[in-house]
């Protein structure tokens, strides 16, 4: 990867080819004025390329003379080789680099690891096509068609006790004769729940078989179309869950489902969303619905109930009992999902009312069931779910974090989409921001990772007190009294994509602090339950909708995650979809998913005596027990000392 060195700071960082100089500066913690989010319109992120070349974008913000002198706009200039870049004084947002050393994008647990594990398992898909070449009958070999089929499957594939439904039996005589006694059987091998032929096709169609992995999220539904002959994802689509029009969170959906026709509506909305995505994915990949052999769905417990049209109403009231933790394998057309008559739907098991198949999929994708080392898996969203353990044991809990990480309950919050501010650095003296948006678009709002950055930067700069209120002594034109109380202006109206100021209020900070406190308290309770220190954790795997650039150091600064070595943190992205993909490709993975579900000991925080006290202690920055966060306290002291001499 090419290396960018910023002078005179003498800080270097390696970035992917094509990365912008501005993002490189953000990674290196070199502060540069940048207020349009990387849109190329504010003209403030000027840099001078002293050595090496970059792919500079065109900008009317630079004169010909400046261009000739090596000036570029940092947000538009792409790195193609090693370069030395000077930040001119007019672009400087801070006097010195604040930490130095250069931070890298979060390490990503590669999907290839999962693919390798699937390959290692050596087992066929839980639903897949098998070629059956039968001997033609004769007067001396007059076994029935069905006997002939079952005998051949046993002989060629070692499958005993295969059952056939009446509709499939009805297809058999014609399929066998049309294919000249060669048929393709869609075989469902769900081990503990049975072995049956879900469909028959004349001839050999085994070269065309696809599965749909589905992450049935409360907010977003994502599908991956998997070619089962190669394991490759041939199309991927995502869309908001249409159920959001009936309520943002799972509790509201559960309540909506108790209305007359409410359950049917919610069921139809989620299946409609999946159908639209699958139709689009199949269209792009040139796959016919009849070539889909199965769906593997991973969702939280409420979403899984709603997908199957089963009421989740009793999950909400004590003693919080779901209708089922394992759902039967059904035909896709029974759920109004695209597919042929043999397309099956498998849902990953949900270990508890508030711990679903999405987390089982995540644990599977992150490889914990194969690890000796103690590993913590944290899925951050409206609900925070945590699983701690290794291949021998797993403990888990879940807590309501609120929608702050997804932009909910935040005045100018938004989901991680184009135009969302995802990275923020502040000049600790003036509080002038350096911001980057998703897609380099004009800022429209702040997403979860941007919010975490912003609040932790304001805290480190001394502009927010430990209890989350703005420090009254702070002098900055960006801190003002707004209609809702004190607020910080991140983007002024003239530079925002909405035409309005984008601000952070004390209510926003309070919502974020509650969310982060819930996550930290959940993790604390898990470690206490098994009597281990944070330091004993070998790796922390973070899943969820956060971007590639979620700054894990800022996460610990806030007190959201334990302050353990930064290199122990790994980001996995949408682990629910990844886990569903693994299961779609291997029945061994499905068995492991069931084992994970059975292994998990679920700790119900609503009846845990220590949870509330732990939670309240965590509703401060970073925590009431400062000894838990020595690195943050040191950073805080350094920042404030730096500010004092500026
Ligand atoms: Fe580059 Fe505004 S022009 S950040």
């Amino acid at each position: 990867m090419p290396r960018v060195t910023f002078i005179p700071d003498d800080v270097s960082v390696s970035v992917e080819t094509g990365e912008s100089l501005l993002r490189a500066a953000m990674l290196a913690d070199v502060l540069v004025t940048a207020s349009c989010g990387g849109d190329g319109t504010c003209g403030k992120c000027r840099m001078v390329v002293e050595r090496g070349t970059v792919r500079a974008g065109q900008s009317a913000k630079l004169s010909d003379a400046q261009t000739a002198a090596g000036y570029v706009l940092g947000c538009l200039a792409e790195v193609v080789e090693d370069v030395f870049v000077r930040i001119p004084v007019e672009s400087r947002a801070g006097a010195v680099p604040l930490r130095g050393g250069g931070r890298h994008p979060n390490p990503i647990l590669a999907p290839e690891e999962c693919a390798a594990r699937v390959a290692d398992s050596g087992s066929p898909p839980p639903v897949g096509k098998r070629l059956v070449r039968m001997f033609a009958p004769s007067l001396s070999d007059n076994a029935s068609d069905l006997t002939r089929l079952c005998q051949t499957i046993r002989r060629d594939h070692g499958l005993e006790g295969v059952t056939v439904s009446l509709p499939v039996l009805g297809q058999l005589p014609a399929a066998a004769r049309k294919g000249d006694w060669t048929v393709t059987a869609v075989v469902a091998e769900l081990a503990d729940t049975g072995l049956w032929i879900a469909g028959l096709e004349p001839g050999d169609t085994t070269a065309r078989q696809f599965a749909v992995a589905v992450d049935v999220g409360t907010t977003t539904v994502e599908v991956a179309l998997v070619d089962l002959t190669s394991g490759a994802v041939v199309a991927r689509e995502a869309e908001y869950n249409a159920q959001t029009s009936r309520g943002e969170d799972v509790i509201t959906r559960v309540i909506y489902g108790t209305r007359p026709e409410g359950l049917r509506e919610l069921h139809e909305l989620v299946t409609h969303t999946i159908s639209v995505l699958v139709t689009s994915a199949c269209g792009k990949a040139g796959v016919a619905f009849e070539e889909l052999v199965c769906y593997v769905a991973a969702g939280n417990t409420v979403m899984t109930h709603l997908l199957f049209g089963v009421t989740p109403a009793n999950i909400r009231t004590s003693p919080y009992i779901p209708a089922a933790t394992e759902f039967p394998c059904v035909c896709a057309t029974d759920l109004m999902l695209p597919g042929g008559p043999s397309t099956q739907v498998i849902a990953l098991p949900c270990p508890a009312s508030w711990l679903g198949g999405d987390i089982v999929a995540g644990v599977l994708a992150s490889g914990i069931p194969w690890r000796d080392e103690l590993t913590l898996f944290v899925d951050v969203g409206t609900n925070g779910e945590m699983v701690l353990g290794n291949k021998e044991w797993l403990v888990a809990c879940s807590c309501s974090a609120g929608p702050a990480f997804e932009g909910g309950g935040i005045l100018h919050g938004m989901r991680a989409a184009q135009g969302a501010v995802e990275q923020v650095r502040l000049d600790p003296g003036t509080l002038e921001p350096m911001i980057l948006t998703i897609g380099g678009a004009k800022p429209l709002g702040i997403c979860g990772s941007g919010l975490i950055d912003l609040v932790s930067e304001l805290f480190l700069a001394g502009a927010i007190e430990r209890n989350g209120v703005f420090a009254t002594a702070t002098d900055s034109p960006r801190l003002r009294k707004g209609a809702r109380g004190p607020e910080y202006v991140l983007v002024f109206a003239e530079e925002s994509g909405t035409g309005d100021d984008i601000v952070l209020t004390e209510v926003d900070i309070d919502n974020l602090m509650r969310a982060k406190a819930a996550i930290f308290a959940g993790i604390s309770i898990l470690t206490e339950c098994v009597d281990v220190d944070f330091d004993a954790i070998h790796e922390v795997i973070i899943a969820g909708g956060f971007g590639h650039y979620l700054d894990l150091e800022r996460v610990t600064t806030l007190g959201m995650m334990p302050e353990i070595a930064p290199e122990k943190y790994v980001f996995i992205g949408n682990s629910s979809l990844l886990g569903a993909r693994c299961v779609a490709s291997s029945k061994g993975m499905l068995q492991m998913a069931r084992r994970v579900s059975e292994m998990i000991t679920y700790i119900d925080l609503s009846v845990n005596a220590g949870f509330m006290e732990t939670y309240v202690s965590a509703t401060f920055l970073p925590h009431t027990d400062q000894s838990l966060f020595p690195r943050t306290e040191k950073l805080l002291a350094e920042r404030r000392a730096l500010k004092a001499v500026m």
Side-chain angles (χ1 to χ4, degrees), residues 576-588:
S576 173
L577 189 69
L578 199 51
R581 252 179 73 188
C582 292
V583 169
S585 301
S586 160
K587 69 173 184 178

Side-chain angles (χ1 to χ4, degrees), residues 22 33-46 59 61 73-76 435-436:
L22 187 61
T33 307
S35 49
C36 72
D39 181 49
T41 52
C42 74
K44 292 179 179 169
C45 62
R46 292 172 190 190
S59 172
K61 294 287 176 186
L73 287 185
C75 62
L76 300 183
I435 62 172
L436 279 173

